[in-house]
Amino acid sequence: MNNFTYCLPKSALEAANQKMSDPAAQFIAGGTNLVDRLKVFLDKPSQLIDISQLNLQTIETTADGSLRLGALVTNTKVAENQDIRRHYPMLARAILSGASQQIRNMATVGGNLLQRTRCPYYYDRAFPCNKREPETGCPAIEGMNRNHAILGSSEHCVAVHPSDMCVALAALDAVVEVISPQGTRQIPFSDFHRLPKNRPEKDTHLEPGELITAVTLPDSSKNPSGVYLKIRDRASYSFALVSVAASINLDGDKIEGVRVALGGVAHKPWRATEAEEFLIGKSFEENSLTEAADIALQQAQPLSQNQFKVELAKRAIIRALKVSAQGGGIV
Ligand code: SF4
């Protein structure tokens, strides 16, 4: 861990101003990923801006019926909130499928969005890594890549985003609120994270000095039968090989609405929009679900060790939609 200074701002704007004045500074809240990175010199901030005491710790219903999650609400409080469990159950289930209770007690909404890939080469300084040090190479492409991306990757990086919560937020069309010295803005969740392209060191579209203040769940994304299906090597405390956040609304056997987002397959939570569009108006039957799953994975480009993820993701999509049609229930 390098030496750094420490400050405790009294407001979100003060924190954003502090960050703007020192680009090498970093925000810290729960610290559940950042402290790990500090300990192995992955991050070497000039100062830590401690935002943990800011007034961003409430869950509230807004005038238009949306649910607004303060950026510092812990993952545990989100997962235990009765409105979340009743109206956005895929989010509660996604959170409870990740990490451990102790980590969820510390981890925050904003921090969850900003956690970085768990690609082992990224954390091991004995290897080059384009995400850690641009233009040094990506050993995962020819190396151990069983857990890596099958969609949206580039010749510069094949890492996956590690979050479960963000997969549900992608399916729910969440909106990220940020503040900076220039003011505030709202970022649709699908535009928050980025694909690696030729800049894998950048995970998000945040601008310098921007601080996440809240994540809003639209009223329109309420769905009591939303599910989160996570497939992993161990039953707990393990990242997803493939995960699916899904919900489906039926009128008889006709599909009126559907949401599908995938985790463990790309550098960002992956919304399967083409598969969703295909399903609208179709009959809820095996052939439709199978074709939709094929569409969702038609752009897949698996690596040497993760071809299995393509079929796994297809089957997970079909299973998640079937469970949602039956009322939900997967954790
Ligand atoms: Fe680094 Fe990305 Fe390659 Fe992993 S996949 S070694 S994070 S560049």
Side-chain angles (χ1 to χ4, degrees):
M1 197 179 287
N2 65 306
N3 290 329
F4 50 80
T5 58
Y6 170 87
C7 71
L8 189 65
K10 292 186 172 54
S11 71
L13 182 57
E14 184 185 335
N17 281 330
Q18 188 70 18
K19 179 78 168 72
M20 197 65 166
S21 67
D22 181 0
Q26 287 183 255
F27 298 123
I28 185 165
T32 55
N33 184 213
L34 177 59
V35 172
D36 286 346
R37 304 199 310 263
L38 292 175
K39 287 191 283 193
V40 293
F41 294 95
L42 270 181
D43 293 59
K44 294 181 251 183
S46 56
Q47 70 172 312
L48 288 184
I49 304 169
D50 185 349
I51 59 170
S52 63
Q53 306 305 307
L54 298 182
N55 186 24
L56 302 171
Q57 310 193 18
T58 56
I59 299 176
E60 55 196 356
T61 304
T62 64
D64 68 356
S66 299
L67 202 60
R68 187 174 183 276
L69 315 177
L72 294 173
V73 179
T74 66
N75 285 189
T76 295
K77 283 188 177 162
V78 176
E80 289 179 349
N81 180 275
Q82 287 307 309
D83 286 332
I84 300 276
R85 295 171 74 91
R86 190 174 304 122
H87 301 303
Y88 307 94
M90 71 166 72
L91 178 57
R93 290 167 179 149
I95 291 171
L96 292 174
S97 76
S100 64
Q101 183 65 57
Q102 292 90 339
I103 290 173
R104 293 193 294 267
N105 290 345
M106 292 298 294
T108 62
V109 167
N112 198 306
L113 271 58
L114 297 178
Q115 60 175 308
R116 307 209 71 184
T117 185
R118 297 321 198 270
C119 171
Y121 296 112
Y122 171 67
Y123 287 84
D124 188 343
R125 298 180 64 83
F127 290 90
C129 168
N130 286 329
K131 186 178 282 294
R132 190 180 64 238
E133 293 172 54
E135 299 183 30
T136 56
C138 174
I141 291 174
E142 299 293 332
M144 294 182 297
N145 52 41
R146 179 174 177 271
N147 295 326
H148 287 67
I150 57 172
L151 288 164
S153 58
S154 75
E155 61 183 324
H156 301 282
C157 181
V158 292
V160 295
H161 196 267
S163 171
D164 293 296
M165 185 178 90
C166 289
V167 183
L169 293 176
L172 293 170
D173 290 322
V175 175
V176 184
E177 297 176 23
V178 301
I179 189 169
S180 75
Q182 283 75 42
T184 60
R185 70 176 178 126
Q186 299 192 328
I187 308 171
F189 204 80
S190 58
D191 296 335
F192 183 80
H193 295 100
R194 62 184 297 282
L195 293 175
K197 299 184 180 174
N198 62 352
R199 296 284 310 277
E201 73 276 15
K202 269 180 73 68
D203 288 348
T204 73
H205 289 290
L206 282 175
E207 299 292 340
E210 285 188 328
L211 170 68
I212 299 170
T213 51
V215 173
T216 300
L217 309 176
D219 188 38
S220 59
S221 58
K222 287 178 178 173
N223 190 316
S225 63
V227 304
Y228 188 72
L229 171 59
K230 180 175 180 178
I231 298 159
R232 46 190 161 173
D233 285 329
R234 291 191 308 263
S236 74
Y237 204 53
S238 183
F239 293 96
L241 292 168
V242 165
S243 66
V244 181
S247 67
I248 196 162
N249 295 324
L250 299 176
D251 180 11
D253 75 339
K254 189 175 164 196
I255 299 170
E256 287 206 315
V258 62
R259 296 169 185 269
V260 178
L262 301 173
V265 297
H267 196 258
K268 60 183 285 187
W270 190 267
R271 186 77 181 261
T273 47
E274 291 179 2
E276 293 175 355
E277 288 164 7
F278 168 80
L279 282 171
I280 297 295
K282 297 279 190 314
S283 295
F284 183 79
E285 57 188 21
E286 192 77 28
N287 286 347
S288 300
L289 302 184
T290 301
E291 201 167 339
D294 287 343
I295 290 169
L297 274 299
Q298 64 188 355
Q299 304 294 333
Q301 292 185 306
L303 300 161
S304 58
Q305 297 176 356
N306 67 8
Q307 172 73 41
F308 73 97
K309 281 193 178 187
V310 178
E311 184 62 23
L312 191 63
K314 290 180 183 178
R315 295 187 190 196
I317 290 169
I318 293 169
R319 182 165 173 230
L321 289 173
K322 284 182 176 177
V323 174
S324 178
Q326 292 163 1
I330 293 178
V331 174

